Amino acid sequence: MPREGGVVDEQAMKGIGRQIKLPWSKAVEIAAKSMKVRMGRSVVTTASIVLAIAFLMSILTGTTLTTSLRIQPQREILRVREQLEQVEAGAIAPFAFPEGLSEDQLSREISSKRHRAEEEEADPLVIQRLFDEVSVAEAARQVLRADTDYQRARAMHDWQVSKAQLELTNVENEWQRLIRRLRMEGVTGLSVEVTRAPPERSYFRMLAEEMEPRDRWLGVVAVMVCFVGIWNAMLMSVHERIREIGTMKCLGALEAFIIKLYFLESSFIGMTGTFLGIVLGFVLSYLRASWAFGFGPIYSYFDFGGALLSAVSTLFIGSALSVFAAVFPAYRAAKYDPVVAMRVDE
Amino acid sequence: MPDSIVRTREVKRVYVMGDTKVHALRGVNLEVYAGEYISIMGPSGSGKTTLFNMIGGLDKPSEGKVYIDEVDVAQLDAYELAWLRCRKIGYIFQTFNIIPVMTALENVTLPMTFAGLTSDEARNKGADLLDKVGLGDRLNHKPFELSGGQQQRVAIARSMANDPAVILADEPTGNLDLNTGQEIIELLKEMNETAKVTIITATHDMKMLSASDRIVWIRDGRVDRIEKRSDLDIDAGKIGGVEDA
Ligand SMILES: Nc1ncnc2c1ncn2[C@@H]1O[C@H](COP(=O)(O)OP(=O)(O)O)[C@@H](O)[C@H]1O
Ligand SMILES: [Mg+2]
């Protein structure tokens, strides 16, 4: 090649090696500025990602919630049952009975509840619930009456089981009511009976098994919305900056630098949107469930560890999406001909 | 004999648009010597911008060769071209092309960053350059806070960022009024004299010729004639007699 004494001698070319890694900080700076300047659009893009991710997150949280509500009380009943077996086997001492309950109080409560249950005609669920409360009170009274430790332990166990059972029924009732309110007919089959131990399985396995087909489909759609939104925003950003990109290339920017700019911009928008979406989706579906089932049961039964896993994986999905969605636009920007910088008409 | 910094041999450029072919350049031979101030004159559509794109390594000729410092531009790969644009050539555009999200100083230091200067070195050098073009008190202004003439001054400072061998200015005064345009030409001439940088400008405005050492007239994609300043009587009467675009 004819380059003796030319501009592109070997020693001078060494500058290029430095040129490749150096401008990371510059790229971050430029990407941040360009987002700031296009604040309006950045906010709209971010908002669409927030909504899509919030939707995805609320599907995951919802599945976690309904599954925990169904399974956690069953676990509790099983736990009490196990304890009784141990009491019967003489392994542990019976529990102490809480103070402040008198037999009189319990008797009065039982009869009033029976009475109300008989009068109640409207809602079979309410009747069921009253009967459940009666059985709790009955069990409690037997605890009070017990003479021997063994009898007390036995009654105590019944009482605990009844309480767990009642809570499960409450949840069940609220669940039915919610279903009716949301007109989601067909979502039944939640069994109160505890015949065998609920499955021990990983969180993701649970999601895979418990998520309804329609939710699965909606989740995929949310992810796609997110992807297309970022893609579109990045393409617009490239289009608006054709001349700017051309100018930078005239000033000696390598394609890698231009690509960096777009990846940074989309990662930033994508991660911010995803993070906000996760928070929004979680808070909304948690509040909605608490509103429907009561704050107590939700708080005590909700699988927070699982929800955290959901959040982390959603963050991962959102960030990966935002990087993937920028591939084509960034590549396109990098390939823009610097000649456009010279062109007078836009 | 002075060194030639830019040389073109029979450069042709054909744009193909569907069935029609536009012959933007029909064989241009031109030699520019180091330290010269050259004006390329020609009516609009005569091929000036196309020629600049060739010389600046932004586009490749359909036929013929372009040598910059005796290196055939067509032989360079993407990295080498980026290097050439960064270190050897400064570009000045009719539309200024100041990057809108950056301040004057950031615009000037960007090519230095590409060249691998540390940000401290770049900042000092950038401030010096902006001072030289008369914007020492406007370092942190954004483009929209600057007039057209001031933006073009930033562009001149930016083109000087990495001490290029050649500055290519395509109609640098095209978007400016007469007085501001004249000031920009004077500034370019000053850079030419003090920094010894070769300047090639394109214009179709007679009034911008006074600074030139040589004037290359092109017409229909060919060099029509080349005049030395000494040959040309820069006299309003005579210039008025020459056909304008
Ligand atoms: N990208 C292009 N595609 C097709 N024709 C072009 C293109 N760029 C320039 N031309 C044509 O080439 C000729 C020279 O254009 P140009 O170099 O821009 O002239 P000038 O800069 O002197 O006004 C014109 O006829 C123009 O229409
Ligand atoms: Mg032109």
Side-chain angles (χ1 to χ4, degrees), chain A residues 343, chain B residues 15 17 22 24 43-50:
Chain A
R343 216 171 278 153
Chain B
Y15 292 109
M17 302 171 76
V22 182
S44 161
S46 56
K48 302 184 294 294
T49 299
T50 308

Side-chain angles (χ1 to χ4, degrees), chain A residues 104-345:
Chain A
D104 267 4
Q105 281 173 330
L106 281 172
S107 304
R108 251 180 281 126
E109 208 175 308
I110 289 166
S111 56
S112 96
K113 279 187 175 151
R114 283 226 167 89
H115 194 62
R116 270 177 56 205
E118 277 151 18
E119 287 196 336
E120 187 78 54
E121 283 173 33
D123 194 341
L125 288 173
V126 174
I127 295 171
Q128 175 65 46
R129 180 183 164 149
L130 285 168
F131 275 119
D132 285 338
E133 284 174 11
V134 167
S135 68
V136 170
E138 279 282 3
R141 193 165 60 177
Q142 280 171 24
V143 174
L144 283 178
R145 278 194 179 156
D147 289 330
T148 66
D149 272 357
Y150 178 74
Q151 274 177 354
R152 183 170 295 129
R154 173 89 230 176
M156 188 81 193
H157 161 258
D158 287 345
W159 186 56
Q160 296 271 325
V161 171
S162 308
K163 264 190 6 181
Q165 192 100 28
L166 174 60
E167 219 160 313
L168 181 57
T169 317
N170 287 348
V171 167
E172 173 85 351
N173 291 350
E174 294 296 344
W175 178 233
Q176 298 288 355
R177 221 164 277 154
L178 179 76
I179 288 168
R180 257 180 290 152
R181 206 173 72 211
L182 298 179
R183 301 185 192 289
M184 290 156 70
E185 301 297 344
V187 186
T188 48
L190 296 174
S191 169
V192 192
E193 260 174 71
V194 186
T195 46
R196 62 193 155 86
E200 290 295 339
R201 54 192 168 175
S202 74
Y203 178 70
F204 292 107
R205 179 103 189 270
M206 181 284 287
L207 276 185
E209 287 173 6
E210 303 288 344
M211 198 183 275
E212 290 180 48
R214 192 202 38 203
D215 278 353
R216 237 172 267 180
W217 166 236
L218 289 178
V220 170
V221 170
V223 166
M224 286 184 337
V225 166
C226 201
F227 188 76
V228 173
I230 296 177
W231 184 305
N232 179 47
M234 288 301 118
L235 272 187
M236 275 165 74
S237 174
V238 170
H239 191 77
E240 280 171 7
R241 286 154 75 185
I242 295 174
R243 182 179 290 260
E244 197 179 314
I245 295 163
T247 306
M248 283 199 203
K249 289 181 104 178
C250 284
L251 299 179
L254 290 169
E255 287 178 6
F257 182 78
I258 310 283
I259 288 178
K260 249 179 235 176
L261 282 187
Y262 282 91
F263 274 120
L264 282 171
E265 187 172 332
S266 87
S267 313
F268 186 78
I269 290 181
M271 283 186 205
T272 313
T274 306
F275 180 75
L276 293 178
I278 288 171
V279 173
L280 185 73
F282 176 77
V283 168
L284 285 185
S285 55
Y286 188 85
L287 287 182
R288 196 189 68 171
S290 300
W291 177 259
F293 302 131
F295 282 84
I298 293 296
Y299 182 76
S300 48
Y301 294 136
F302 185 60
D303 179 4
F304 284 98
L308 192 65
L309 278 180
S310 275
V312 170
S313 33
T314 307
L315 188 64
F316 182 78
I317 292 173
S319 311
L321 277 186
S322 53
V323 171
F324 280 132
V327 169
F328 176 75
Y331 179 79
R332 195 159 151 186
K335 289 291 168 203
Y336 260 119
D337 201 333
V339 167
V340 294
M342 284 281 191
R343 216 171 278 153
V344 176
D345 51 310

